[in-house]
């Protein structure tokens, strides 16, 4: 949930239309939520017993951290 929330502002255009992942403005991401969510995913996966929720969280972790996310300066708002 943290990882989904971290990208909430970037997932919709001003008119309410959905924005594709590749087109999302990563400066609108919340880097504190991304960091916390990714740390939780790493912890869960390190247990070696991933279930459906952990797999979904891992997918969200990948979506929240493409090469351009950090370089574009995600905010902590």
């Amino acid at each position: 949930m943290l990882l989904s929330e971290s990208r909430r502002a970037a997932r919709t255009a001003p008119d309410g239309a959905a924005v594709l992942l590749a087109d999302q403005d990563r400066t609108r991401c919340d880097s504190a939520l991304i960091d916390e969510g990714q740390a939780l995913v790493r912890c869960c996966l390190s247990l070696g017993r991933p279930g459906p929720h952990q797999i979904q969280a891992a997918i969200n972790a990948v979506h929240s951290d493409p090469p351009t996310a950090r370089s574009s300066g995600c905010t902590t708002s």
Side-chain angles (χ1 to χ4, degrees):
M1 298 303 293
L2 292 170
L3 293 166
S4 292
E5 179 63 20
S6 71
R7 294 181 17 254
R8 182 172 49 89
R11 285 195 311 260
T12 55
D15 64 0
V19 177
L20 297 175
L21 180 62
D23 299 327
Q24 292 176 6
D25 178 1
R26 296 311 183 134
T27 63
R28 299 180 68 200
C29 297
D30 186 325
S31 63
L33 290 180
I34 291 172
D35 292 343
E36 184 179 356
Q38 288 183 346
L40 288 168
V41 169
R42 283 190 299 274
C43 180
C44 289
L45 293 178
S46 74
L47 300 175
R49 299 184 313 265
H53 297 286
Q54 291 83 4
I55 299 299
Q56 290 173 1
I59 292 167
N60 271 319
V62 171
H63 287 174
S64 67
D65 197 26
T68 57
R70 296 288 182 224
S71 64
S72 67
C74 287
T75 63
T76 57
S77 55

